[in-house]
Amino acid sequence: MSSSMVEDDTDDELQLSSAALEALNSFLVEKDERQKRFEDLKATLEKEYEERQKIITMEDFEEDWQQSQFWYDSATAEMLAEEILDGAIEGTLVGIVSAPSVFVKIQELKAAERIPDSIKVRLLEFDKRFDLFPEFIHYDFQYPLRLPSELKGKFDRILIDPPFLSNDCQTKSALTARWLMKPWVAPTRAASTSHDSDGRDTAEQSPTRIIICTGQVVKELVEKLFRQAGVRATTLEIRHSKGLSNEFLCYSSFESKRIKWEG
């Protein structure tokens, strides 16, 4: 073998080593860039998550009395939230209709991990300020069935506060509740061993619950509209953050430690 051939082989080895080193350096640079992009993305997502986790309270929403907006005080909103959710199980679908102060309280309770995220809650509300919540569904009682068709017959529980005391508003609100809910069954009957359309034992499901918060003046009408669901006036006191001159009642389809039907 000639010395020139040995030199050529040595040169080739040196050239390959340089190429390999260059490739390695390029790989390391790309790796560092990818890591930086990941860290930037992580920081952005963490910031967005922190922003989403900021607690929104009803103090962020001024009442509009022209829309008949009267927020419950914090204690009442929390009590109603706990009652409508008590006994709910994974997959339970709860509708909060025209009662945003209860919905916002539920979000507070979820943020505090006092309510599991597996319980699904939707807010049906006319005021579009609340569309900042992904659970918001625009609702106008004047058009009681103008709602997404996929919601029909899907809700296990409903809490509703008809915005006006007129017979028209009360009747249309009841029509909305009936359309949204699964068959109206009083909780005492929901523990039977019958099966629903999905073949599940109803005893394993959270019972149907209905709460209506509205004036005493429409008591006879409310109990008539919701009679099939076993709704009756209760002795539970409902308080509003800025007071309310009308006598206000809580009507429900069930009793609990705090909710008792009128004698």
Side-chain angles (χ1 to χ4, degrees), residues 175-201:
L175 180 60
T176 297
R178 184 63 180 267
W179 187 86
L180 289 171
M181 293 192 73
K182 295 177 179 178
W184 284 3
V185 180
T188 53
R189 295 174 56 197
S192 68
T193 56
S194 60
H195 295 78
D196 65 5
S197 58
D198 295 325
R200 296 174 297 178
D201 190 331

Side-chain angles (χ1 to χ4, degrees), residues 20 40 50 55-57 59-60 65 77 90 100 108 151 254:
D40 290 343
E50 290 174 358
I55 300 298
I56 299 173
T57 70
E59 293 180 1
D60 297 311
W65 290 6
E90 182 176 357
E108 292 181 37
L151 299 180
F254 63 96

